[in-house]
Amino acid sequence: MAATSAAEALPGPAAAAAGLTLSVNAAGARHPISADIYGLNGADPAFAAEIGMPVARWGGNASSRYNFTNHTYNTGSDWYFENIVAGPDNTVESFVKTNRDRGTKQVVAVPMIGWVAKDSPSSHPFACGFPATRFPAQDGFDQWDANCGNGKLDGANLTGADPADTSVRVDASFAGDMVSHLVSQFGAANHGGVRIYELDNEPVLWSSTHRDVHPEAVSYDELGAKSTATAAAIKAADPSAAVLGPSGWGYCEWVASGLDGCGPGADAAAHGGLNLSQWYLKNMKGFSDAHGGLRTLNYFDQHYYPQIGGGTDPESDALRLRSTRSLWDPTYVEESWIGPSGVNAPPLQFIRTMKAWVAQYYPGTKVAITEYNWGALNDINGALAQAEVLGIFGREGLDLATIWGEPQPEQPGAYAFRMYRDYDRAGGRFGDVSVSSASSDQGRLAVYAAQRSADKALTLMIINKTDGDLPAPLSVDGFPGDGTAQRFTYSPADLTSIVRGEDLAVHRRTIDATYPANSITLLVLPRR
């Protein structure tokens, strides 16, 4: 057993003054943590293997018009509305095979917008939604393809695009054919094939991101009809596959249709006064009940981007760390345009709100966040926020999450994932059964706890979100005996590795330790 220095072992007068205490009860608030919360939309292959990436997603704006028959997609407003022929490594089949071979579950988005990319040239000049031949005056053109414009003039969206310039019309049967094709290639979901299909991507934004083919605002009825028809087609092609949706972009799409904008309006009034998420769940359940109980939605999914800047100045850093509370805290008032300075939404407590909507309108549906990013993943502050978000996901019982804009392997944000999935470079993982944990000041020194099913070890993630070292006693209940706690730390002292520190003594069910400034510490208590 490694010794612990007195300076680290004893809290001293600073702790008494601060009054910081941590507590864990391994017998309390126990529930499983889904491994799928540690997913990414994409990842460096070596990093994906290192952390045992549990789930990956094929989605985003380009998936809305992806045509599996010709491997062509349209970039939409992300890049001049151009049709691009996917290379061999960027097809949906390649995505499925790569992730299946590494043991990673796949989420694959299927088109629902009503259009997919037509047969197109694989090199410039590309087919595009706002060609200069039709719209000679635009605010910008692709520097590599002068015929393709951004569909704006004097900052306003152009109208009158011809969908046939880039796309062909399809209906829900196309999604069914896509699923059938993937089943023929890789088997059904229950035999190693694609496990989850997503109902397109951010549909209320179609009138912006894909306005060359869908300039109309999305209504409750359009979203409802297309979702049920597409879900039914997926289930017909692979009854064992799960369906995920509606994957809204953010707050406005959680609560309102494209017709209503960002709050209750005529569309909501015509649908019982329910917000869009509530009505969506109710409509999916109603379709299920009318079709013999066929579950048309397995995951209720929304995207979550905190409305904060990406800076790393002190003010931005502090806001980034505070804003994680919007995922769960009923007392946290939004500090962005979502709060009193803008639409004045009530506290989001987003994961808890999603689960409450599910419980009321479609019980048994899982909850997912397939796009999120707190930013600054190249900085220790972003790593602290990411570590906290993963802890919240586990504690709050989220079922699936995939970060968008994943960190590069050498960035601090990647180490936040390693702290949960490979803290010792030997596959060591945070526990898979969440247990009760508490801090006297979660805003300064946060704690998350879980027990591993495999070896019954207790794992404790402690995040110091301040610029100073913080001593705090940690009491451990519901776990047998005294002994030692293994310690692993990621901090500014070494941003290139997780450091194995000296073991800490567990004496009278208490661990006394000091947690370095701006650090993530994992304590592992082996089962005696």
Side-chain angles (χ1 to χ4, degrees):
M1 180 182 73
T4 303
S5 69
E8 291 176 324
L10 299 177
L20 276 173
T21 60
L22 304 173
S23 62
V24 171
N25 185 345
R30 294 177 66 89
H31 64 81
I33 295 176
S34 169
D36 291 344
I37 64 173
Y38 305 112
L40 300 92
N41 273 266
D44 172 86
F47 180 64
E50 178 188 349
I51 66 170
M53 184 171 70
V55 60
R57 171 178 174 257
W58 165 278
N61 292 333
S63 66
S64 289
R65 281 192 268 172
Y66 182 81
N67 187 340
F68 76 95
T69 69
N70 60 16
H71 306 301
T72 304
Y73 62 93
N74 187 277
T75 58
S77 62
D78 290 345
W79 191 261
Y80 300 99
F81 302 88
E82 295 175 352
N83 277 9
I84 305 295
V85 179
D89 294 336
N90 295 312
T91 65
V92 69
E93 294 89 349
S94 176
F95 169 84
V96 174
K97 183 179 186 306
T98 297
N99 285 286
R100 187 186 68 164
D101 290 351
R102 67 164 63 115
T104 297
K105 182 185 300 183
Q106 310 103 50
V107 178
V108 171
V110 299
M112 194 173 71
I113 191 173
W115 300 90
V116 294
K118 69 179 185 180
D119 292 342
S120 301
S122 58
S123 59
H124 297 293
F126 293 142
C128 49
F130 292 95
T133 51
R134 192 185 303 277
F135 302 94
Q138 300 186 52
D139 289 346
F141 292 91
D142 183 352
Q143 61 180 312
W144 293 287
D145 200 323
N147 189 49
C148 296
N150 65 359
K152 289 181 176 289
L153 183 60
D154 297 329
N157 290 341
L158 292 171
T159 60
D162 184 354
D165 284 344
T166 61
S167 305
V168 294
R169 190 182 290 276
V170 296
D171 58 20
S173 65
F174 182 88
D177 291 343
M178 181 173 173
V179 174
S180 294
H181 167 70
L182 293 175
V183 169
S184 73
Q185 294 284 307
F186 304 105
N190 58 355
H191 289 94
V194 176
R195 298 278 295 277
I196 304 170
Y197 291 96
E198 179 178 3
L199 300 175
D200 211 293
N201 178 72
E202 301 179 345
V204 168
L205 288 185
W206 288 340
S207 59
S208 174
T209 53
H210 295 282
R211 60 183 181 272
D212 56 323
V213 298
H214 195 298
E216 308 84 9
V218 171
S219 67
Y220 278 60
D221 287 341
E222 181 186 6
L223 179 61
K226 286 184 172 178
S227 295
T228 53
T230 305
I234 292 168
K235 293 289 188 176
D238 186 355
S240 64
V243 174
L244 177 149
S247 307
W249 68 267
Y251 175 78
C252 293
E253 190 167 350
W254 306 336
V255 300
S257 70
L259 289 178
D260 282 349
C262 199
D267 206 10
H271 294 81
L274 299 178
N275 72 36
L276 186 60
S277 290
Q278 294 167 332
W279 182 85
Y280 180 87
L281 289 162
K282 182 180 179 181
N283 184 65
M284 295 297 273
K285 184 179 187 301
F287 184 89
S288 173
D289 292 345
H291 291 80
L294 171 73
R295 176 165 277 279
T296 51
L297 189 71
N298 301 88
Y299 290 85
F300 174 54
D301 172 52
Q302 298 287 12
H303 298 166
Y304 191 95
Y305 290 101
Q307 300 300 295
I308 58 177
T312 54
D313 56 279
E315 183 178 353
S316 297
D317 283 352
L319 176 57
R320 180 174 295 107
L321 296 176
R322 288 196 305 273
S323 67
T324 63
R325 293 167 57 193
S326 63
L327 291 168
W328 65 274
D329 189 345
T331 70
Y332 180 67
V333 177
E334 282 295 312
E335 299 174 68
S336 70
W337 60 266
I338 297 174
S341 64
V343 297
N344 200 25
L348 296 179
Q349 46 184 324
F350 185 55
I351 297 174
R352 296 182 182 186
T353 297
M354 291 176 74
K355 297 180 90 170
W357 287 341
V358 162
Q360 183 170 0
Y361 296 105
Y362 201 170
T365 306
K366 296 179 179 181
V367 290
I369 299 176
T370 57
E371 287 189 24
Y372 73 93
N373 194 314
W374 256 260
L377 294 170
N378 61 344
D379 186 86
I380 185 62
N381 182 263
L384 299 179
Q386 182 61 43
E388 176 120 64
V389 166
L390 293 175
I392 291 169
F393 285 172
R395 187 193 65 195
E396 296 297 313
L398 191 69
D399 294 295
L400 185 149
T402 49
I403 188 174
W404 181 272
E406 65 280 352
Q408 296 304 303
E410 72 281 359
Q411 291 181 326
Y415 284 91
F417 280 91
R418 290 185 176 104
M419 289 295 289
Y420 286 89
R421 300 288 294 175
D422 188 31
Y423 60 82
D424 58 358
R425 307 290 291 180
R429 294 179 178 173
F430 189 66
D432 56 341
V433 178
S434 180
V435 303
S436 175
S437 62
S439 169
S440 60
D441 191 343
Q442 188 82 351
R444 297 172 64 207
L445 189 65
V447 59
Y448 301 91
Q451 190 167 22
R452 282 200 299 246
S453 297
D455 62 0
K456 307 304 180 185
L458 187 62
T459 59
L460 316 176
M461 198 72 71
I462 298 137
I463 305 166
N464 181 351
K465 296 179 278 187
T466 76
D467 292 332
D469 296 351
L470 292 178
L474 189 157
S475 64
V476 181
D477 291 317
F479 192 75
D482 293 339
T484 59
Q486 301 167 4
R487 176 174 45 172
F488 301 83
T489 301
Y490 184 69
S491 76
D494 184 354
L495 292 177
T496 66
S497 65
I498 296 169
V499 176
R500 172 74 154 91
E502 295 179 331
D503 289 351
L504 297 170
V506 183
H507 180 62
R508 295 182 179 177
R509 301 182 184 272
T510 299
I511 302 170
D512 287 321
T514 293
Y515 302 95
N518 296 303
S519 69
I520 310 165
T521 298
L522 176 67
L523 303 181
V524 181
L525 283 67
R527 177 87 173 195
R528 290 175 61 83

